[in-house]
Amino acid sequence: MFKTNTKIFEERREIFLKKLNGKAAIISSSSLVNHHADCEYPFRQDSNFWYLTGFDEPDSIALFLSNKPKGERYILFVAPKDIISEVWHGFRWGVEGAEREFKADKAHSISDFKRLLPVYISDSEDIVYSQNKHSKFEKIVLEIFSKQIEARSKEGKEEINIESPEIYLNEMRLIKSDFEISRMREATQISAEAHELVRESISLKKNERQIQGLIEGFFLEKGARGPAYNSIVASGDNACILHYTLNNSDLNKGDLLLVDAGCSLMDYYNGDITRTIPIGGKFSKEQKIIYEIVLEAQKNAIKHSVKGSNTTNVHNVALRILVDGLKEIGLLRGDTDGIIENGSYKHLYMHRTGHWLGLDVHDVGAYRMGEYDVPLQNGMILTVEPGIYISDRIPVPEGQPSIDEKWKGIGIRIEDDILVKEKEPEILSIAALKEISDLEY
Ligand code: GLY
Ligand code: MN
Ligand code: MN
């Protein structure tokens, strides 16, 4: 069973416990999810649970009692050792392992959770718990909580509430520590190398599926857990379907190939990179024009991914270049501000320019706080991924030019993973080449 640096998690728990300021937090792990019959999807730990525990087993609970003295504040409920179960499903750390290796102040069998939770939280007031994550545990937690509310109202005590742990954890996870940055460097480097492998071997490949196999095989070879999300390997017009994952079309020499793929490391840090390359080694005139617009938009948006900027600004920089470029070639018409304001570019560019990246691919953290955009700070990691997708799936908005056939079937996105720094952003995925001269052969 996978285990990593315990100290990192101890430090995170200390910060989290301080933030809880007297409250009790109940953080549940993920469960195994059925794929079909009695076969399961590969296990994926809940990111918040992982972030605080480093414990990689399903159906476990971490209880944080911030009103208790040191040595009584971190309780784990885990699957107990069971030889027969372990023969079928693999090693587990058990109750003793949870204390010895994962530094729980006290660990119990998960079967004692229902009995012990009311005892542990009897003198806590508000509790911190994320709903809609683990239905079995949620039933227990809510039942115990409502009993507490009832008892308190009989005693004339003031109301208690359930708060979301996201209030505390999202803020922590948004700024990556030095340790996390080093893990993100590894995840993005492996992901970038996989894209390079595609670029180098594209001339030998016949079907999208072979590219998927190449990339995902490389992730495993490098010791990653696997793909961070369903790899998108989309040739020709398939690239205009944003979440295309069928990956089963033959490759045609005159088409482009859009690959959006990144690995997830054993400790769940993720890469998320997109490259679009000419399958036959040469861009057509139209493909090249669109590629140049997207690349210019992306490079400029990256330049603005620095401390003090914000994701709206990054998006707007990219959007303006895309709109101006599309106007120049007759695919949009009108005043740039007007087009942006009324969204009449959205049949060609229908998504935002990026998102936070970390333990989740679309990582946690606010983009806006009420009226204000969250300013970019050192240690934040975001993707910058503008694109243009030309098809006739979305009707051309009124007042905009109809699309000449020569443009149709061109779908281009370029996505890099960016570490925010003081002056110049660090492009973590820089090893994946993206200049036209690099992509043509
Ligand atoms: N691969 C998912 C995304 O780019 O957001
Ligand atoms: Mn992305
Ligand atoms: Mn992506």
Side-chain angles (χ1 to χ4, degrees):
M1 190 62 81
F2 179 67
K3 178 170 183 286
T4 177
N5 187 336
T6 321
K7 194 97 196 102
I8 299 292
F9 298 95
E10 282 179 51
E11 287 165 9
R12 291 174 184 168
R13 287 194 293 270
E14 271 313 302
I15 299 171
F16 182 54
L17 279 160
K18 255 200 204 107
K19 283 179 185 277
L20 287 175
N21 194 23
K23 293 169 190 152
I26 303 155
I27 310 287
S28 53
S29 78
S30 300
S31 277
L32 279 158
V33 178
N34 251 29
H35 186 202
H36 61 95
D38 51 359
C39 297
E40 288 133 353
Y41 285 103
F43 178 64
R44 201 327 177 157
Q45 188 54 285
D46 175 82
S47 298
N48 282 341
F49 184 88
W50 174 262
Y51 184 78
L52 292 168
T53 67
F55 191 70
D56 203 23
E57 294 184 23
D59 301 318
S60 313
I61 289 197
L63 176 61
F64 296 88
L65 302 165
S66 70
N67 62 346
K68 293 276 198 302
K70 233 181 159 72
E72 297 175 29
R73 298 193 295 189
Y74 173 42
I75 319 295
L76 277 176
F77 291 87
V78 301
K81 295 293 287 177
D82 175 339
I83 294 304
I84 300 299
S85 249
E86 290 179 61
V87 165
W88 282 89
H89 304 294
F91 174 83
R92 4 165 124 156
W93 289 102
V95 171
E96 277 171 25
E99 287 181 5
R100 190 184 64 244
E101 302 291 332
F102 293 86
K103 309 293 173 210
D105 294 330
K106 183 83 189 127
H108 302 278
S109 164
I110 191 66
S111 58
D112 289 330
F113 178 63
K114 191 171 179 177
R115 183 175 62 81
L116 290 177
L117 182 64
V119 180
Y120 272 122
I121 63 171
S122 61
D123 54 355
S124 298
E125 301 204 326
D126 291 348
I127 64 167
V128 173
Y129 179 69
S130 194
Q131 299 189 53
N132 300 319
K133 280 203 168 176
H134 194 300
S135 53
K136 195 172 129 209
F137 294 153
E138 181 162 318
K139 199 163 167 282
I140 297 173
V141 171
L142 295 184
E143 207 177 290
I144 289 165
F145 186 67
S146 53
K147 277 191 189 142
Q148 280 202 346
I149 291 181
E150 221 173 285
R152 287 176 69 90
S153 76
K154 281 184 190 146
E155 291 165 23
K157 290 185 179 165
E158 65 182 279
E159 252 181 55
I160 51 174
N161 295 302
I162 296 191
E163 267 187 7
S164 160
E166 280 76 29
I167 301 167
Y168 309 101
L169 291 171
N170 290 7
E171 199 185 18
M172 289 173 71
R173 285 176 51 191
L174 181 54
I175 311 282
K176 274 67 181 173
S177 66
D178 288 347
F179 169 79
E180 289 186 291
I181 290 169
S182 76
R183 302 304 293 145
M184 288 298 290
R185 284 208 172 96
E186 175 151 358
T188 48
Q189 180 64 25
I190 293 171
S191 305
E193 285 174 19
H195 281 268
E196 279 296 279
L197 210 54
V198 174
R199 185 183 63 77
E200 285 162 4
S201 53
I202 184 70
S203 65
L204 306 171
K205 302 296 176 190
K206 304 249 174 304
N207 187 284
E208 294 167 352
R209 194 145 287 253
Q210 294 174 323
I211 305 283
Q212 180 181 356
L214 181 72
I215 294 168
E216 296 182 6
F218 182 77
F219 291 162
L220 298 181
E221 199 180 306
K222 288 287 170 180
R225 208 173 266 267
Y229 49 91
N230 293 333
S231 305
I232 297 169
V233 184
S235 62
D237 178 66
N238 293 337
C240 298
I241 298 166
L242 298 177
H243 292 166
Y244 174 82
T245 52
L246 196 56
N247 304 347
N248 200 24
S249 293
D250 283 339
L251 304 179
N252 297 317
K253 285 260 180 281
D255 284 344
L256 298 176
L257 177 70
L258 181 155
V259 177
D260 183 345
C263 75
S264 189
L265 297 183
M266 285 303 289
D267 55 358
Y268 298 110
Y269 287 98
N270 299 303
D272 179 9
I273 304 175
T274 308
R275 290 292 181 264
T276 310
I277 63 177
I279 293 167
K282 289 276 176 287
F283 285 92
S284 71
K285 187 169 146 233
E286 287 77 21
Q287 290 165 350
K288 189 180 268 184
I289 289 169
I290 302 295
Y291 192 91
E292 279 168 344
I293 297 170
V294 177
L295 186 59
E296 196 200 336
Q298 204 236 10
K299 284 182 178 172
N300 278 280
I302 290 174
K303 268 191 208 143
H304 285 80
S305 304
V306 284
K307 189 177 168 185
S309 177
N310 58 63
T311 56
T312 301
N313 186 25
V314 172
H315 175 66
N316 287 341
V317 166
L319 182 56
R320 186 160 287 271
I321 294 171
L322 295 179
V323 169
D324 282 339
L326 288 164
K327 267 171 61 181
E328 223 165 277
I329 56 173
L331 285 173
L332 287 176
R333 174 191 303 143
D335 163 61
T336 302
D337 288 327
I339 292 171
I340 289 175
E341 201 152 302
N342 62 31
S344 44
Y345 59 87
K346 287 191 180 165
H347 57 306
L348 300 168
Y349 181 46
M350 57 298 276
H351 59 78
R352 289 284 289 186
T353 302
H355 51 84
W356 307 129
L357 180 68
L359 281 179
D360 287 320
V361 173
H362 292 178
D363 208 20
V364 296
Y367 295 90
R368 286 178 68 78
M369 299 291 248
E371 301 270 286
Y372 300 100
D373 288 295
V374 171
L376 294 182
Q377 292 178 47
N378 293 355
M380 289 178 173
I381 296 179
L382 71 156
T383 67
V384 177
E385 50 178 307
I388 293 177
Y389 313 92
I390 313 178
S391 76
D392 43 21
R393 290 182 185 81
I394 301 179
V396 175
E398 218 177 286
Q400 291 302 326
S402 59
I403 300 170
D404 193 292
E405 287 302 316
K406 69 180 181 183
W407 300 107
K408 286 188 186 164
I410 299 179
I412 294 174
R413 176 165 65 255
I414 308 172
E415 175 176 29
D416 278 300
D417 304 336
I418 308 298
L419 170 63
V420 176
K421 291 188 162 175
E422 199 81 25
K423 288 205 176 71
E424 264 204 37
E426 180 179 333
I427 306 175
L428 299 173
S429 44
I430 198 157
L433 304 183
K434 61 183 177 187
E435 296 298 326
I436 286 180
S437 57
D438 298 320
L439 306 183
E440 289 194 322
Y441 61 90

